[in-house]
Amino acid sequence: MRNESIVQKLPSKLIRVLLIEDNPGYSEVIRIMLEKVRDARFDVVSDKRLSDGLQSLRDKSVDVVLLDLKLPDSQGIDTFDKVHAVAPDLPIIVLTVTENDELAFKAAQKGAQDYLVKDQVDAKLLVRAIRYAIERKRMEEMLLNAAQEWRTTFDGISDVLCLIDSEQKIIRCNKAMTHFLHKSFTDIIGRSCCELVHGTSESFDGCPFERMRKTHNSEAVVLQRSGQWFKISVDPLLDENGNLVGGVHIISDITKEKEIDKMKSELISNVSHELRTPLSTIQEGISLVFDGTLGPIQEDQKDMLARVKNNIDRLARLINDLLDMSKLETGRLELHKSSVNISALSVEVLSSFHNQLKNKKIKLKNLIKKDIANLYIDPDRISQVMTNLIGNSIKFTPANGCITLEVKDAEREVKISVSDTGIGIARENIAGLFDRFSQFDRVYGPGERGTGLGLPISKEIVEMHGGRIWVESEVGKGSTLTFSLPRLTQDEIFRDYLTTGLREAMLKDCPLSLVVIRVKNIEKVIKTYTDAQVFAILQETEELIARTLRRKSDIVSRYKYGEIIIAILMDTAKHDALSVRARIRQEVETEMHEKGWPKDIELFLDVVTFPDDAADETELINKIAQDFWMEETTTHRVTGGGHG
Amino acid sequence: MDKKKVLIIDDEPDFVRVVQLRLEAAGYDVLVAFDGVQGVSSAHKEKPDLIILDIMMPAMHGHRVCEALKKSSKTWTIPIIYLTAKGSKEDEELAYQLGAEHFLTKPYDPQVLLETIQKALEPGAQLEKYEKGEKEIS
């Protein structure tokens, strides 16, 4: 129905018909039929033989071909093929004497627009067939052009693009993807994305497609591949009911952006370093005058120098924050984690504010819980966060106000919060609180302005520890900033030590050895002795090993619920590790003898070295399990223990 | 009691000057060297009681100066305090590995610098270190 309206709108221009028909009588019939049509004009050229018809096609302009398949010089579908080959863009209507469905279907398949049986043709049918044929051909061309246009556009995009179905199979991809993978289209279409890009049938950790499948939101990940950086994003394709039918994968080369970003951060880092030396000269020079070392000064001179000093201090803080920020941005800020008493650390940070609090007449409430089990954190960085939070509170709390530092212990985490009775933060400013350089609505005392980087840096540091940071505030009443630090299990701590150590070993291209120590006959031992006894022996052994190791970089950790003691020896080759093992064994035996440990507790010691025995962390872990876990068990056998 | 001799090795004359004034005001004799090579030879000749060392210097890098001083039987007992703008954890670790006693960064707190010098000069400090060194060598 829709076609009819399009046809009727066509202008009645001259339609040039080429009729290839060997029966002159029938040609005449057609000619007469077309002449009688009132709302259209036809110009009919007729040829009796195929060869003449083909010649006419070459010489004349034609809009449509009426073709008898049975001609003196050609018969059957061959006739169609030959005409179509000469004029692929022309609509062709096939004429036959008898109804032949098979032939009709074949012709349609090959591109014929219509099929008419000669003795069933009347003027109306013929005109309609001609007009539809021309129009259909025109639309076909349009579709083809559109498809071609889309294909050219798709291939013209330099980012790698592909459409994938919900099973992560690639339905379509552009040329950039064939270059990216060094594969042809046929090698890509129908294959799974993970298999092609990562060479595994299982999707890797953090695969954006897997995340998108869960969230139904666009997801992205940045990966490095042979020196280049890529941003890989997946946008969901949803059907009308919101069901996921697939996704659009875009892989963009962001190496340039990364380089520029790195250059920016390096520039900041270098400039900051360069600024430090003149700054320290200015700072010390002023101090020498200010404190009278170079001779007495007047009160108003001293006052001016105090202002200068305050601003130099502020500049110094800003430079430090800029340095931290640039390190965070380039991923060069490394955590140096160790087992830390958070209560003691908090008290230490608090004491550094003693004078400032006294000068501003701010009361301090100490709600630090004692005897919190040690946390595995970077003490310098966490005290930096606490210093930032307390410093902020002091800035925004008027005289005679109160600041509370609370350290709370929960099962899986420790929460540290700094509350004040300051001016508070307006609701609309809370969202941007952790953004860079956000400072608002504050009245500053002398030298009190912050850098605007303290909170974003704090946030990054807390998140690098796997914690969270948040704010609760009421304007005029005060604010509470809280951050959490997760309590890692012994195994998680060991894995963290191992990951960090291995990364460094790979970076510096040096070996790393593990000395693995466990109770050989533990099944028997735990039947004879209590958990507490076994644990005490493991604890003593661990402490003994820690004392035996001499270098600062050596780490003693526990694994598998504390049953295995593992010494991580940085930059230690296998033969050196073997001599360390011999030393440990000797020390332990002496200790056993002196302390009179039960004789049936035997220790088993071995050495695993990267890269000799294992090429990566998984292999290293497997090696530990393989060599030392013969009677495989994962149940908790030895209780009674925190960690060292 | 004799004044203690402190050698400052740093390539920034203005910075050296302010530190010198600070230390002289605190009662120290101050020697200065403006590059690493000069610093090492001055340490050998003058036998200072303490050395303040920068990292980024022309001719001879601070870490190499530290290594040279700590390896020489004539100078290894002199305590070294790094005072540098290059305050990365790696530099700090390397400094301690090379045998330095303390590591401070610029800009510095004068009070902290003076306390650190005092601590490094305490009569017990070197002996303690010597014993620890003995134990480590065995």
Side-chain angles (χ1 to χ4, degrees):
Chain A
M1 281 298 122
R2 204 183 280 165
N3 278 357
E4 197 119 34
S5 64
I6 293 168
V7 172
Q8 274 157 7
K9 274 180 205 150
L10 272 181
S12 61
K13 60 163 196 166
L14 182 73
I15 297 170
R16 292 156 303 185
V17 180
L18 172 65
L19 175 64
I20 309 176
E21 164 64 66
D22 61 340
N23 181 343
Y26 193 71
S27 293
E28 200 51 32
V29 171
I30 298 276
R31 187 188 298 277
I32 292 162
M33 272 185 199
L34 292 179
E35 264 171 21
K36 281 187 181 156
V37 176
R38 251 176 271 150
D39 57 352
R41 290 182 300 125
F42 292 92
D43 174 30
V44 182
V45 173
S46 49
D47 286 313
K48 291 193 190 66
R49 300 171 66 87
L50 179 68
S51 55
D52 299 336
L54 296 179
Q55 196 56 48
S56 300
L57 276 177
R58 287 187 194 104
D59 299 344
K60 299 185 174 106
S61 302
V62 171
D63 295 316
V64 62
V65 180
L66 293 178
L67 178 66
D68 186 358
L69 290 183
K70 195 163 169 286
L71 297 170
D73 53 347
S74 178
Q75 277 94 38
I77 199 74
D78 254 11
T79 313
F80 174 83
D81 287 343
K82 284 168 186 158
V83 174
H84 190 57
V86 172
D89 300 336
L90 275 186
I92 300 169
I93 298 167
V94 168
L95 301 167
T96 54
V97 185
T98 50
E99 240 171 288
N100 184 339
D101 282 345
E102 204 186 318
L103 191 65
F105 181 69
K106 225 186 223 169
Q109 241 183 350
K110 293 198 164 200
Q113 291 299 333
D114 211 341
Y115 176 92
L116 298 175
V117 179
K118 280 180 182 172
D119 53 9
Q120 292 168 6
V121 173
D122 60 18
K124 211 172 148 193
L125 183 68
L126 183 65
V127 172
R128 198 163 71 182
I130 289 173
R131 283 178 159 172
Y132 278 27
I134 293 171
E135 187 56 24
R136 256 202 309 267
K137 188 74 192 174
R138 200 178 64 84
M139 286 170 64
E140 239 172 47
E141 290 286 302
M142 254 169 59
L143 279 175
L144 267 172
N145 282 342
Q148 190 57 44
E149 211 175 288
W150 185 81
R151 183 79 248 174
T152 314
T153 313
F154 201 48
D155 282 341
I157 297 171
S158 59
D159 286 345
V160 172
L161 284 181
C162 67
L163 303 182
I164 40 185
D165 67 13
S166 56
E167 296 304 306
Q168 230 184 337
K169 294 255 185 306
I170 296 171
I171 307 168
R172 228 168 222 174
C173 73
N174 69 346
K175 210 177 227 159
M177 187 162 198
T178 64
H179 295 321
F180 177 73
L181 294 174
H182 303 292
K183 283 193 161 69
S184 68
F185 281 108
T186 47
D187 286 337
I188 294 173
I189 306 299
R191 301 267 302 273
S192 122
C193 172
C194 270
E195 188 191 334
L196 280 171
V197 179
H198 311 289
T200 62
S201 50
E202 282 167 43
S203 52
F204 72 104
D205 260 3
C207 168
F209 187 88
E210 288 302 326
R211 292 207 318 254
M212 183 273 282
R213 224 212 288 258
K214 285 182 199 115
T215 61
H216 281 204
N217 284 323
S218 299
E219 297 284 350
V221 67
V222 171
L223 288 180
Q224 199 181 11
R225 187 186 157 117
S226 47
Q228 279 174 300
W229 286 94
F230 295 98
K231 181 186 174 202
I232 298 156
S233 64
V234 185
D235 300 319
L237 289 176
L238 305 174
D239 67 11
E240 297 139 17
N241 304 320
N243 297 320
L244 190 79
V245 290
V248 184
H249 237 309
I250 304 174
I251 305 176
S252 332
D253 186 343
I254 54 164
T255 313
K256 259 223 168 72
E257 287 87 333
K258 275 266 171 195
E259 271 166 13
I260 292 170
D261 214 49
K262 205 175 141 219
M263 269 168 60
K264 183 201 76 185
S265 294
E266 271 169 7
L267 183 78
I268 293 176
S269 171
N270 287 337
V271 167
S272 306
H273 276 310
E274 290 300 315
L275 286 173
R276 277 181 163 179
T277 302
L279 188 76
S280 48
T281 306
I282 297 169
Q283 199 173 36
E284 181 64 316
I286 299 279
S287 292
L288 283 167
V289 181
F290 178 78
D291 58 24
T293 310
L294 301 179
I297 55 164
Q298 293 163 20
E299 221 23 65
D300 50 352
Q301 288 170 333
K302 195 165 181 166
D303 174 67
M304 181 51 65
L305 286 179
R307 286 168 195 277
V308 173
K309 247 170 73 90
N310 273 337
N311 280 280
I312 293 168
D313 289 346
R314 194 176 130 209
L315 199 57
R317 283 200 304 275
L318 184 58
I319 289 168
N320 283 338
D321 282 357
L322 275 174
L323 261 176
D324 279 349
M325 204 71 227
S326 87
K327 276 187 204 158
L328 282 169
E329 281 182 350
T330 46
R332 278 180 304 132
L333 190 108
E334 279 175 32
L335 295 182
H336 298 265
K337 290 198 221 172
S338 57
S339 179
V340 174
N341 180 335
I342 188 74
S343 313
L345 189 72
S346 310
V347 171
E348 197 185 305
V349 172
L350 212 50
S351 66
S352 69
F353 282 99
H354 190 72
N355 282 339
Q356 231 178 313
L357 290 163
K358 216 170 94 187
N359 290 344
K360 248 194 120 173
K361 295 195 180 65
I362 293 173
K363 259 189 297 172
L364 179 78
K365 222 191 223 165
N366 175 340
L367 294 179
I368 302 170
K369 188 177 178 288
K370 303 241 166 53
D371 60 50
I372 294 176
N374 279 13
L375 285 177
Y376 178 64
I377 53 174
D378 183 330
D380 291 347
R381 291 298 173 184
I382 293 303
S383 57
Q384 183 183 356
V385 174
M386 286 196 266
T387 304
N388 275 337
L389 299 189
I390 298 170
N392 262 349
S393 281
I394 293 176
K395 256 180 256 167
F396 306 120
T397 303
N400 302 318
C402 178
I403 289 174
T404 310
L405 177 65
E406 185 174 14
V407 181
K408 265 194 300 194
D409 194 15
E411 197 185 330
R412 304 276 310 156
E413 60 183 16
V414 169
K415 276 186 198 159
I416 298 146
S417 57
V418 179
S419 315
D420 60 48
T421 56
I423 57 176
I425 306 157
R427 187 179 293 270
E428 67 266 26
N429 287 331
I430 282 185
L433 192 67
F434 294 102
D435 292 348
R436 267 172 260 171
F437 298 109
S438 70
Q439 293 183 319
F440 32 74
D441 295 349
R442 304 231 149 137
V443 184
Y444 299 96
E448 274 188 356
R449 271 191 88 91
T451 62
L453 290 170
L455 286 182
I457 290 170
S458 300
K459 180 171 185 260
E460 292 274 355
I461 291 172
V462 169
E463 284 174 359
M464 277 176 82
H465 278 86
R468 293 162 297 129
I469 187 166
W470 65 95
V471 61
E472 292 149 283
S473 185
E474 201 175 320
V475 174
K477 291 249 171 100
S479 313
T480 301
L481 274 109
T482 309
F483 68 97
S484 66
L485 292 169
R487 184 180 292 291
L488 301 186
T489 66
Q490 226 162 28
D491 282 9
E492 283 168 336
I493 294 171
F494 166 69
R495 290 299 289 263
D496 195 86
Y497 274 132
L498 191 61
T499 309
T500 318
L502 260 183
R503 194 173 48 222
E504 200 181 320
M506 285 174 179
L507 215 66
K508 292 184 178 163
D509 198 22
C510 65
L512 177 140
S513 289
L514 305 180
V515 180
V516 185
I517 304 112
R518 71 178 190 93
V519 179
K520 200 175 189 177
N521 43 0
I522 192 144
E523 295 291 353
K524 218 176 89 195
V525 169
I526 53 165
K527 277 181 199 143
T528 324
Y529 303 95
T530 64
D531 280 357
Q533 278 174 307
V534 179
F535 179 77
I537 285 173
L538 282 166
Q539 187 64 33
E540 273 193 62
T541 311
E542 183 184 341
E543 283 161 15
L544 181 66
I545 293 165
R547 284 200 301 274
T548 309
L549 297 172
R550 290 167 182 177
R551 297 178 310 175
K552 213 181 153 194
S553 58
D554 294 336
I555 290 161
V556 185
S557 185
R558 294 277 198 98
Y559 188 44
K560 290 283 178 194
Y561 310 99
E563 281 185 26
I564 304 186
I565 303 165
I566 298 181
I568 303 173
L569 310 174
M570 281 306 298
D571 196 5
T572 305
K574 184 141 195 150
H575 63 275
D576 292 327
L578 288 171
S579 64
V580 171
R581 180 183 69 168
R583 213 168 68 214
I584 290 175
R585 190 193 292 282
Q586 202 188 1
E587 294 274 341
V588 171
E589 274 167 10
T590 312
E591 185 92 353
M592 276 179 129
H593 184 72
E594 281 175 6
K595 292 253 174 88
W597 285 357
K599 293 225 160 36
D600 48 358
I601 297 182
E602 270 181 84
L603 290 181
F604 185 87
L605 289 86
D606 214 335
V607 169
V608 188
T609 302
F610 162 86
D612 310 45
D613 306 318
D616 57 33
E617 189 176 335
T618 319
E619 273 185 52
L620 218 52
I621 288 288
N622 287 343
K623 200 83 190 168
I624 296 171
Q626 225 174 56
D627 291 5
F628 309 100
W629 222 244
M630 269 87 81
E631 339 84 298
E632 174 63 41
T633 169
T634 50
T635 49
H636 189 159
R637 281 189 305 237
V638 179
T639 53
H643 47 78
Chain B
M1 201 176 89
D2 278 351
K3 276 187 176 182
K4 296 278 186 189
K5 253 192 290 182
V6 177
L7 170 64
I8 305 170
I9 311 174
D10 194 312
D11 64 326
E12 292 274 344
D14 289 346
F15 181 75
V16 170
R17 180 75 187 143
V18 290
V19 180
Q20 183 179 9
L21 284 174
R22 173 66 69 195
L23 297 191
E24 282 173 359
Y28 295 103
D29 261 345
V30 177
L31 308 162
V32 298
F34 295 110
D35 66 54
V37 181
Q38 209 190 327
V40 173
S41 81
S42 177
H44 275 91
K45 258 198 309 230
E46 305 286 343
K47 294 278 167 49
D49 298 294
L50 184 135
I51 292 167
I52 290 174
L53 179 63
D54 186 23
I55 294 181
M56 284 185 290
M57 286 183 294
M60 200 175 173
H61 204 263
H63 289 311
R64 279 185 56 210
V65 173
C66 183
E67 192 179 8
L69 291 174
K70 287 297 177 187
K71 272 189 177 161
S72 160
S73 59
K74 285 183 182 158
T75 52
W76 80 274
T77 51
I78 306 172
I80 294 177
I81 300 176
Y82 272 69
L83 183 55
T84 173
K86 202 166 175 279
S88 76
K89 205 88 183 177
E90 286 72 29
D91 283 311
E92 189 175 346
E93 272 170 17
L94 184 57
Y96 286 127
Q97 248 174 47
L98 293 173
E101 274 70 16
H102 297 280
F103 191 92
L104 299 175
T105 52
K106 296 176 189 174
Y108 64 92
D109 179 337
Q111 207 50 48
V112 172
L113 177 67
L114 291 177
E115 278 170 18
T116 310
I117 293 174
Q118 238 167 29
K119 210 192 305 170
L121 286 174
E122 268 167 26
Q126 278 315 88
L127 189 69
E128 208 175 277
K129 192 188 163 215
Y130 182 73
E131 282 172 349
K132 210 172 121 212
E134 279 285 85
K135 198 181 154 204
E136 259 169 39
I137 287 159
S138 70

